[in-house]
Amino acid sequence: MNAGLLLLRLLLAGLLAGHAAQKLLGWFRGMGPDGTAPVFESWGFRPGRPLVLLAGTCELTGAALIGSGTATPLAAAVVMGTMIVAAAPNHPNGLWAHLGGYEVPFVYGALALALATTGPGAWSVDHAAGMEGASGPLWALAATALAVTAAIPALTLRRRNLRTTAPASRPAARDD
């Protein structure tokens, strides 16, 4: 089980770090902060550049914490909150990614929730620090509550910004 949890953590961390690198550095065919900012603004996340930097930093922080198995409930909350916000622009398209849906952020957030529930396993900083008791349904519930609470301001700002923007001026959402 510990090997499986380590593999799960490292895979999720690698994918999150890749998305962060697309936003922050333009790696992996990403557009970097300046190229991603107009996309964020079209989704209602304004001002675009600072919010791109915030999203990328949250993804990178979540990746580092999840990958190392450090403060796992907090790490899960960071990832889930970021993914709740990331799912919003594609929510009208439904779940499936091939139809422009929110499948990718849903899966990343769900994996983070699973890790908050199970804990990171014995091969983690949490275990080495004697924090293996910081997991389970109550910790997962607390992480989810923190994630939702943290996502609300960004989603509220987005909703307000979209109400003040004419629908014809918004480009179609795209996956980064």
Side-chain angles (χ1 to χ4, degrees), residues 3-16 63 66-68 115:
L5 287 171
L6 176 63
L7 180 61
L8 175 66
R9 290 191 350 252
L10 293 177
L11 289 171
L12 178 57
L15 291 168
L16 289 166
I66 289 284
S68 63
L115 287 168

Side-chain angles (χ1 to χ4, degrees), residues 41-43 46 161-173:
E41 290 189 3
S42 75
W43 290 337
R46 294 189 290 269
N161 288 338
L162 289 176
R163 276 197 306 255
T164 62
T165 304
S169 68
R170 288 197 312 260

Side-chain angles (χ1 to χ4, degrees), residues 19-42:
H19 280 277
Q22 289 177 314
K23 289 174 188 70
L24 299 174
L25 305 169
W27 292 1
F28 310 116
R29 294 175 27 190
M31 298 181 291
D34 293 329
T36 307
V39 176
F40 268 46
E41 290 189 3
S42 75

Side-chain angles (χ1 to χ4, degrees), residues 106-127:
F106 175 79
V107 170
Y108 293 178
L111 291 174
L113 177 60
L115 287 168
T117 304
T118 64
W123 301 339
S124 66
V125 171
D126 282 356
H127 179 78

Side-chain angles (χ1 to χ4, degrees), residues 2 29 49 56 70 142 159 162:
N2 290 313
R29 294 175 27 190
R49 191 173 201 284
T70 303
R159 173 175 253 170
L162 289 176

